Amino acid sequence: MSNESPFESISLTNQVILLAVTELASEDETPVQTHELRRHCQRHLPEVDTEVVGTITEADVIRSLYRLEDEGLVDEVSPAETSPTGKGRPAYTLAVSAETVYEEVADELLNGSPD
């Protein structure tokens, strides 16, 4: 067993997705589905150095969420209500404190985020 922080083993893209979940959680907008999370990232990526991360696709979001769930950083939840467009889509919520996320993610991703 390693004492390595899960943040040391996740990519910058995963950290961007985690930051987006954290921001949405702080705005009481979680659980969030993948398409909503991607849209949030697209709106907020100009705030960070996009050369560090690049363009985020919905497939990137899905892969990142699976990885973040494996690391215990987000939880998949069943939406309380299902709409015709959202039926069957998993939704995700933050599994750790927002403070932990802001302390542990890469500094270059925190432009405009709370310290």
Side-chain angles (χ1 to χ4, degrees), residues 69-101:
E69 186 178 23
D70 286 346
E71 294 292 342
L73 299 171
V74 300
D75 288 323
E76 182 179 333
V77 295
S78 299
E81 300 174 15
T82 56
S83 67
T85 58
K87 189 174 183 180
R89 290 185 179 174
Y92 295 85
T93 189
L94 194 61
V96 296
S97 74
E99 293 163 351
T100 299
V101 174

PDB file of all heavy atoms in Angstrom, residues 69-101:
ATOM      1  N   GLU A  69     -13.776   8.325  -9.680  1.00  0.00           N
ATOM      2  CA  GLU A  69     -14.579   7.454  -8.812  1.00  0.00           C
ATOM      3  C   GLU A  69     -13.706   6.343  -8.236  1.00  0.00           C
ATOM      4  O   GLU A  69     -13.785   6.038  -7.046  1.00  0.00           O
ATOM      5  CB  GLU A  69     -15.759   6.879  -9.583  1.00  0.00           C
ATOM      6  CG  GLU A  69     -16.703   6.077  -8.703  1.00  0.00           C
ATOM      7  CD  GLU A  69     -17.901   5.538  -9.459  1.00  0.00           C
ATOM      8  OE1 GLU A  69     -17.843   5.386 -10.697  1.00  0.00           O
ATOM      9  OE2 GLU A  69     -18.909   5.263  -8.788  1.00  0.00           O
ATOM     10  N   ASP A  70     -12.857   5.757  -9.071  1.00  0.00           N
ATOM     11  CA  ASP A  70     -11.929   4.715  -8.593  1.00  0.00           C
ATOM     12  C   ASP A  70     -11.018   5.237  -7.489  1.00  0.00           C
ATOM     13  O   ASP A  70     -10.646   4.494  -6.577  1.00  0.00           O
ATOM     14  CB  ASP A  70     -11.059   4.178  -9.737  1.00  0.00           C
ATOM     15  CG  ASP A  70     -11.826   3.267 -10.678  1.00  0.00           C
ATOM     16  OD1 ASP A  70     -12.947   2.835 -10.330  1.00  0.00           O
ATOM     17  OD2 ASP A  70     -11.302   3.015 -11.785  1.00  0.00           O
ATOM     18  N   GLU A  71     -10.650   6.514  -7.568  1.00  0.00           N
ATOM     19  CA  GLU A  71      -9.758   7.125  -6.575  1.00  0.00           C
ATOM     20  C   GLU A  71     -10.513   7.613  -5.336  1.00  0.00           C
ATOM     21  O   GLU A  71      -9.905   8.130  -4.402  1.00  0.00           O
ATOM     22  CB  GLU A  71      -8.984   8.293  -7.205  1.00  0.00           C
ATOM     23  CG  GLU A  71      -8.011   7.882  -8.284  1.00  0.00           C
ATOM     24  CD  GLU A  71      -6.821   7.094  -7.784  1.00  0.00           C
ATOM     25  OE1 GLU A  71      -6.534   7.138  -6.560  1.00  0.00           O
ATOM     26  OE2 GLU A  71      -6.173   6.424  -8.603  1.00  0.00           O
ATOM     27  N   GLY A  72     -11.849   7.493  -5.351  1.00  0.00           N
ATOM     28  CA  GLY A  72     -12.642   7.916  -4.204  1.00  0.00           C
ATOM     29  C   GLY A  72     -12.863   9.418  -4.113  1.00  0.00           C
ATOM     30  O   GLY A  72     -13.166   9.941  -3.043  1.00  0.00           O
ATOM     31  N   LEU A  73     -12.724  10.113  -5.249  1.00  0.00           N
ATOM     32  CA  LEU A  73     -12.852  11.570  -5.245  1.00  0.00           C
ATOM     33  C   LEU A  73     -14.243  12.043  -5.663  1.00  0.00           C
ATOM     34  O   LEU A  73     -14.664  13.134  -5.302  1.00  0.00           O
ATOM     35  CB  LEU A  73     -11.781  12.191  -6.147  1.00  0.00           C
ATOM     36  CG  LEU A  73     -10.344  11.889  -5.705  1.00  0.00           C
ATOM     37  CD1 LEU A  73      -9.349  12.342  -6.765  1.00  0.00           C
ATOM     38  CD2 LEU A  73     -10.042  12.549  -4.363  1.00  0.00           C
ATOM     39  N   VAL A  74     -14.942  11.232  -6.442  1.00  0.00           N
ATOM     40  CA  VAL A  74     -16.337  11.510  -6.793  1.00  0.00           C
ATOM     41  C   VAL A  74     -17.139  10.235  -6.593  1.00  0.00           C
ATOM     42  O   VAL A  74     -16.580   9.137  -6.564  1.00  0.00           O
ATOM     43  CB  VAL A  74     -16.512  12.021  -8.255  1.00  0.00           C
ATOM     44  CG1 VAL A  74     -15.757  13.306  -8.500  1.00  0.00           C
ATOM     45  CG2 VAL A  74     -16.145  10.966  -9.268  1.00  0.00           C
ATOM     46  N   ASP A  75     -18.445  10.400  -6.448  1.00  0.00           N
ATOM     47  CA  ASP A  75     -19.362   9.264  -6.318  1.00  0.00           C
ATOM     48  C   ASP A  75     -20.391   9.327  -7.430  1.00  0.00           C
ATOM     49  O   ASP A  75     -20.900  10.406  -7.750  1.00  0.00           O
ATOM     50  CB  ASP A  75     -20.116   9.312  -4.981  1.00  0.00           C
ATOM     51  CG  ASP A  75     -19.232   8.981  -3.794  1.00  0.00           C
ATOM     52  OD1 ASP A  75     -18.362   8.097  -3.924  1.00  0.00           O
ATOM     53  OD2 ASP A  75     -19.413   9.618  -2.741  1.00  0.00           O
ATOM     54  N   GLU A  76     -20.685   8.167  -8.000  1.00  0.00           N
ATOM     55  CA  GLU A  76     -21.784   8.076  -8.958  1.00  0.00           C
ATOM     56  C   GLU A  76     -23.066   7.896  -8.157  1.00  0.00           C
ATOM     57  O   GLU A  76     -23.109   7.116  -7.219  1.00  0.00           O
ATOM     58  CB  GLU A  76     -21.588   6.886  -9.903  1.00  0.00           C
ATOM     59  CG  GLU A  76     -22.677   6.769 -10.940  1.00  0.00           C
ATOM     60  CD  GLU A  76     -22.468   5.606 -11.900  1.00  0.00           C
ATOM     61  OE1 GLU A  76     -21.321   5.200 -12.123  1.00  0.00           O
ATOM     62  OE2 GLU A  76     -23.480   5.130 -12.410  1.00  0.00           O
ATOM     63  N   VAL A  77     -24.094   8.645  -8.521  1.00  0.00           N
ATOM     64  CA  VAL A  77     -25.366   8.557  -7.811  1.00  0.00           C
ATOM     65  C   VAL A  77     -26.491   8.373  -8.817  1.00  0.00           C
ATOM     66  O   VAL A  77     -26.368   8.749  -9.981  1.00  0.00           O
ATOM     67  CB  VAL A  77     -25.643   9.820  -6.954  1.00  0.00           C
ATOM     68  CG1 VAL A  77     -24.620   9.949  -5.847  1.00  0.00           C
ATOM     69  CG2 VAL A  77     -25.666  11.071  -7.796  1.00  0.00           C
ATOM     70  N   SER A  78     -27.580   7.806  -8.338  1.00  0.00           N
ATOM     71  CA  SER A  78     -28.769   7.673  -9.179  1.00  0.00           C
ATOM     72  C   SER A  78     -29.558   8.961  -9.075  1.00  0.00           C
ATOM     73  O   SER A  78     -29.891   9.381  -7.966  1.00  0.00           O
ATOM     74  CB  SER A  78     -29.629   6.508  -8.705  1.00  0.00           C
ATOM     75  OG  SER A  78     -28.911   5.312  -8.799  1.00  0.00           O
ATOM     76  N   PRO A  79     -29.834   9.592 -10.196  1.00  0.00           N
ATOM     77  CA  PRO A  79     -30.621  10.832 -10.141  1.00  0.00           C
ATOM     78  C   PRO A  79     -31.996  10.567  -9.528  1.00  0.00           C
ATOM     79  O   PRO A  79     -32.613   9.550  -9.803  1.00  0.00           O
ATOM     80  CB  PRO A  79     -30.749  11.252 -11.598  1.00  0.00           C
ATOM     81  CG  PRO A  79     -29.731  10.464 -12.342  1.00  0.00           C
ATOM     82  CD  PRO A  79     -29.463   9.223 -11.544  1.00  0.00           C
ATOM     83  N   ALA A  80     -32.462  11.482  -8.698  1.00  0.00           N
ATOM     84  CA  ALA A  80     -33.762  11.348  -8.051  1.00  0.00           C
ATOM     85  C   ALA A  80     -34.889  11.403  -9.078  1.00  0.00           C
ATOM     86  O   ALA A  80     -35.895  10.733  -8.951  1.00  0.00           O
ATOM     87  CB  ALA A  80     -33.937  12.434  -7.008  1.00  0.00           C
ATOM     88  N   GLU A  81     -34.673  12.220 -10.093  1.00  0.00           N
ATOM     89  CA  GLU A  81     -35.679  12.354 -11.143  1.00  0.00           C
ATOM     90  C   GLU A  81     -35.019  12.031 -12.473  1.00  0.00           C
ATOM     91  O   GLU A  81     -33.874  12.361 -12.692  1.00  0.00           O
ATOM     92  CB  GLU A  81     -36.200  13.789 -11.205  1.00  0.00           C
ATOM     93  CG  GLU A  81     -36.836  14.260  -9.925  1.00  0.00           C
ATOM     94  CD  GLU A  81     -37.206  15.725  -9.990  1.00  0.00           C
ATOM     95  OE1 GLU A  81     -37.237  16.300 -11.097  1.00  0.00           O
ATOM     96  OE2 GLU A  81     -37.455  16.283  -8.932  1.00  0.00           O
ATOM     97  N   THR A  82     -35.753  11.379 -13.335  1.00  0.00           N
ATOM     98  CA  THR A  82     -35.216  11.125 -14.669  1.00  0.00           C
ATOM     99  C   THR A  82     -36.100  11.824 -15.687  1.00  0.00           C
ATOM    100  O   THR A  82     -37.319  11.786 -15.596  1.00  0.00           O
ATOM    101  CB  THR A  82     -35.150   9.610 -14.987  1.00  0.00           C
ATOM    102  OG1 THR A  82     -36.446   9.060 -14.820  1.00  0.00           O
ATOM    103  CG2 THR A  82     -34.165   8.894 -14.091  1.00  0.00           C
ATOM    104  N   SER A  83     -35.444  12.481 -16.611  1.00  0.00           N
ATOM    105  CA  SER A  83     -36.173  13.118 -17.702  1.00  0.00           C
ATOM    106  C   SER A  83     -35.932  12.293 -18.951  1.00  0.00           C
ATOM    107  O   SER A  83     -35.024  11.473 -18.984  1.00  0.00           O
ATOM    108  CB  SER A  83     -35.653  14.541 -17.906  1.00  0.00           C
ATOM    109  OG  SER A  83     -34.334  14.502 -18.389  1.00  0.00           O
ATOM    110  N   PRO A  84     -36.718  12.498 -19.990  1.00  0.00           N
ATOM    111  CA  PRO A  84     -36.498  11.733 -21.218  1.00  0.00           C
ATOM    112  C   PRO A  84     -35.084  11.896 -21.764  1.00  0.00           C
ATOM    113  O   PRO A  84     -34.508  10.957 -22.288  1.00  0.00           O
ATOM    114  CB  PRO A  84     -37.527  12.306 -22.192  1.00  0.00           C
ATOM    115  CG  PRO A  84     -38.607  12.857 -21.324  1.00  0.00           C
ATOM    116  CD  PRO A  84     -37.911  13.339 -20.074  1.00  0.00           C
ATOM    117  N   THR A  85     -34.490  13.082 -21.615  1.00  0.00           N
ATOM    118  CA  THR A  85     -33.143  13.284 -22.148  1.00  0.00           C
ATOM    119  C   THR A  85     -32.070  12.778 -21.200  1.00  0.00           C
ATOM    120  O   THR A  85     -30.977  12.465 -21.630  1.00  0.00           O
ATOM    121  CB  THR A  85     -32.876  14.773 -22.432  1.00  0.00           C
ATOM    122  OG1 THR A  85     -33.065  15.505 -21.223  1.00  0.00           O
ATOM    123  CG2 THR A  85     -33.795  15.300 -23.512  1.00  0.00           C
ATOM    124  N   GLY A  86     -32.350  12.694 -19.921  1.00  0.00           N
ATOM    125  CA  GLY A  86     -31.332  12.286 -18.962  1.00  0.00           C
ATOM    126  C   GLY A  86     -31.503  10.871 -18.460  1.00  0.00           C
ATOM    127  O   GLY A  86     -30.720  10.393 -17.655  1.00  0.00           O
ATOM    128  N   LYS A  87     -32.518  10.187 -18.929  1.00  0.00           N
ATOM    129  CA  LYS A  87     -32.827   8.860 -18.424  1.00  0.00           C
ATOM    130  C   LYS A  87     -31.652   7.898 -18.639  1.00  0.00           C
ATOM    131  O   LYS A  87     -31.130   7.778 -19.732  1.00  0.00           O
ATOM    132  CB  LYS A  87     -34.069   8.321 -19.126  1.00  0.00           C
ATOM    133  CG  LYS A  87     -34.577   7.052 -18.516  1.00  0.00           C
ATOM    134  CD  LYS A  87     -35.877   6.637 -19.144  1.00  0.00           C
ATOM    135  CE  LYS A  87     -36.396   5.401 -18.467  1.00  0.00           C
ATOM    136  NZ  LYS A  87     -37.654   4.956 -19.038  1.00  0.00           N
ATOM    137  N   GLY A  88     -31.273   7.263 -17.581  1.00  0.00           N
ATOM    138  CA  GLY A  88     -30.219   6.264 -17.657  1.00  0.00           C
ATOM    139  C   GLY A  88     -28.809   6.809 -17.594  1.00  0.00           C
ATOM    140  O   GLY A  88     -27.860   6.052 -17.525  1.00  0.00           O
ATOM    141  N   ARG A  89     -28.639   8.114 -17.628  1.00  0.00           N
ATOM    142  CA  ARG A  89     -27.298   8.684 -17.556  1.00  0.00           C
ATOM    143  C   ARG A  89     -26.851   8.763 -16.106  1.00  0.00           C
ATOM    144  O   ARG A  89     -27.586   9.246 -15.255  1.00  0.00           O
ATOM    145  CB  ARG A  89     -27.267  10.093 -18.140  1.00  0.00           C
ATOM    146  CG  ARG A  89     -27.432  10.138 -19.621  1.00  0.00           C
ATOM    147  CD  ARG A  89     -27.266  11.552 -20.108  1.00  0.00           C
ATOM    148  NE  ARG A  89     -27.409  11.607 -21.550  1.00  0.00           N
ATOM    149  CZ  ARG A  89     -27.416  12.734 -22.230  1.00  0.00           C
ATOM    150  NH1 ARG A  89     -27.307  13.887 -21.607  1.00  0.00           N
ATOM    151  NH2 ARG A  89     -27.540  12.718 -23.529  1.00  0.00           N
ATOM    152  N   PRO A  90     -25.629   8.309 -15.841  1.00  0.00           N
ATOM    153  CA  PRO A  90     -25.135   8.446 -14.475  1.00  0.00           C
ATOM    154  C   PRO A  90     -24.891   9.910 -14.131  1.00  0.00           C
ATOM    155  O   PRO A  90     -24.640  10.734 -15.013  1.00  0.00           O
ATOM    156  CB  PRO A  90     -23.827   7.655 -14.487  1.00  0.00           C
ATOM    157  CG  PRO A  90     -23.412   7.592 -15.909  1.00  0.00           C
ATOM    158  CD  PRO A  90     -24.675   7.682 -16.728  1.00  0.00           C
ATOM    159  N   ALA A  91     -24.978  10.213 -12.859  1.00  0.00           N
ATOM    160  CA  ALA A  91     -24.691  11.556 -12.378  1.00  0.00           C
ATOM    161  C   ALA A  91     -23.648  11.421 -11.269  1.00  0.00           C
ATOM    162  O   ALA A  91     -23.526  10.367 -10.632  1.00  0.00           O
ATOM    163  CB  ALA A  91     -25.954  12.221 -11.864  1.00  0.00           C
ATOM    164  N   TYR A  92     -22.896  12.483 -11.049  1.00  0.00           N
ATOM    165  CA  TYR A  92     -21.769  12.422 -10.122  1.00  0.00           C
ATOM    166  C   TYR A  92     -21.810  13.564  -9.131  1.00  0.00           C
ATOM    167  O   TYR A  92     -22.301  14.648  -9.432  1.00  0.00           O
ATOM    168  CB  TYR A  92     -20.446  12.457 -10.907  1.00  0.00           C
ATOM    169  CG  TYR A  92     -20.285  11.227 -11.757  1.00  0.00           C
ATOM    170  CD1 TYR A  92     -20.856  11.158 -13.021  1.00  0.00           C
ATOM    171  CD2 TYR A  92     -19.611  10.114 -11.271  1.00  0.00           C
ATOM    172  CE1 TYR A  92     -20.750  10.015 -13.788  1.00  0.00           C
ATOM    173  CE2 TYR A  92     -19.495   8.966 -12.040  1.00  0.00           C
ATOM    174  CZ  TYR A  92     -20.068   8.920 -13.291  1.00  0.00           C
ATOM    175  OH  TYR A  92     -19.970   7.783 -14.035  1.00  0.00           O
ATOM    176  N   THR A  93     -21.273  13.280  -7.954  1.00  0.00           N
ATOM    177  CA  THR A  93     -21.175  14.274  -6.902  1.00  0.00           C
ATOM    178  C   THR A  93     -19.796  14.170  -6.256  1.00  0.00           C
ATOM    179  O   THR A  93     -19.116  13.150  -6.397  1.00  0.00           O
ATOM    180  CB  THR A  93     -22.312  14.094  -5.866  1.00  0.00           C
ATOM    181  OG1 THR A  93     -22.312  15.195  -4.984  1.00  0.00           O
ATOM    182  CG2 THR A  93     -22.173  12.803  -5.093  1.00  0.00           C
ATOM    183  N   LEU A  94     -19.391  15.192  -5.576  1.00  0.00           N
ATOM    184  CA  LEU A  94     -18.085  15.245  -4.939  1.00  0.00           C
ATOM    185  C   LEU A  94     -18.050  14.318  -3.725  1.00  0.00           C
ATOM    186  O   LEU A  94     -18.974  14.317  -2.917  1.00  0.00           O
ATOM    187  CB  LEU A  94     -17.798  16.694  -4.523  1.00  0.00           C
ATOM    188  CG  LEU A  94     -16.376  17.050  -4.133  1.00  0.00           C
ATOM    189  CD1 LEU A  94     -15.413  16.809  -5.294  1.00  0.00           C
ATOM    190  CD2 LEU A  94     -16.312  18.510  -3.705  1.00  0.00           C
ATOM    191  N   ALA A  95     -16.978  13.526  -3.592  1.00  0.00           N
ATOM    192  CA  ALA A  95     -16.851  12.581  -2.478  1.00  0.00           C
ATOM    193  C   ALA A  95     -15.869  13.058  -1.409  1.00  0.00           C
ATOM    194  O   ALA A  95     -15.720  12.414  -0.384  1.00  0.00           O
ATOM    195  CB  ALA A  95     -16.416  11.211  -3.003  1.00  0.00           C
ATOM    196  N   VAL A  96     -15.187  14.165  -1.664  1.00  0.00           N
ATOM    197  CA  VAL A  96     -14.235  14.739  -0.707  1.00  0.00           C
ATOM    198  C   VAL A  96     -14.601  16.204  -0.512  1.00  0.00           C
ATOM    199  O   VAL A  96     -15.430  16.741  -1.243  1.00  0.00           O
ATOM    200  CB  VAL A  96     -12.767  14.611  -1.196  1.00  0.00           C
ATOM    201  CG1 VAL A  96     -12.347  13.153  -1.298  1.00  0.00           C
ATOM    202  CG2 VAL A  96     -12.558  15.318  -2.519  1.00  0.00           C
ATOM    203  N   SER A  97     -13.980  16.858   0.442  1.00  0.00           N
ATOM    204  CA  SER A  97     -14.303  18.263   0.668  1.00  0.00           C
ATOM    205  C   SER A  97     -13.732  19.136  -0.443  1.00  0.00           C
ATOM    206  O   SER A  97     -12.697  18.833  -1.035  1.00  0.00           O
ATOM    207  CB  SER A  97     -13.751  18.728   2.013  1.00  0.00           C
ATOM    208  OG  SER A  97     -12.351  18.882   1.948  1.00  0.00           O
ATOM    209  N   ALA A  98     -14.425  20.234  -0.703  1.00  0.00           N
ATOM    210  CA  ALA A  98     -13.947  21.197  -1.693  1.00  0.00           C
ATOM    211  C   ALA A  98     -12.575  21.728  -1.281  1.00  0.00           C
ATOM    212  O   ALA A  98     -11.703  21.925  -2.129  1.00  0.00           O
ATOM    213  CB  ALA A  98     -14.947  22.339  -1.844  1.00  0.00           C
ATOM    214  N   GLU A  99     -12.363  21.934   0.006  1.00  0.00           N
ATOM    215  CA  GLU A  99     -11.075  22.428   0.498  1.00  0.00           C
ATOM    216  C   GLU A  99      -9.945  21.486   0.105  1.00  0.00           C
ATOM    217  O   GLU A  99      -8.869  21.931  -0.303  1.00  0.00           O
ATOM    218  CB  GLU A  99     -11.107  22.598   2.017  1.00  0.00           C
ATOM    219  CG  GLU A  99     -12.038  23.701   2.479  1.00  0.00           C
ATOM    220  CD  GLU A  99     -12.387  23.596   3.952  1.00  0.00           C
ATOM    221  OE1 GLU A  99     -12.051  22.577   4.595  1.00  0.00           O
ATOM    222  OE2 GLU A  99     -13.003  24.538   4.458  1.00  0.00           O
ATOM    223  N   THR A 100     -10.198  20.183   0.228  1.00  0.00           N
ATOM    224  CA  THR A 100      -9.179  19.198  -0.149  1.00  0.00           C
ATOM    225  C   THR A 100      -8.831  19.326  -1.622  1.00  0.00           C
ATOM    226  O   THR A 100      -7.658  19.313  -1.995  1.00  0.00           O
ATOM    227  CB  THR A 100      -9.681  17.771   0.155  1.00  0.00           C
ATOM    228  OG1 THR A 100      -9.929  17.664   1.555  1.00  0.00           O
ATOM    229  CG2 THR A 100      -8.671  16.720  -0.280  1.00  0.00           C
ATOM    230  N   VAL A 101      -9.842  19.465  -2.460  1.00  0.00           N
ATOM    231  CA  VAL A 101      -9.606  19.594  -3.899  1.00  0.00           C
ATOM    232  C   VAL A 101      -8.764  20.833  -4.179  1.00  0.00           C
ATOM    233  O   VAL A 101      -7.749  20.765  -4.875  1.00  0.00           O
ATOM    234  CB  VAL A 101     -10.934  19.649  -4.683  1.00  0.00           C
ATOM    235  CG1 VAL A 101     -10.681  19.938  -6.160  1.00  0.00           C
ATOM    236  CG2 VAL A 101     -11.705  18.350  -4.510  1.00  0.00           C
TER     237      VAL A 101
END
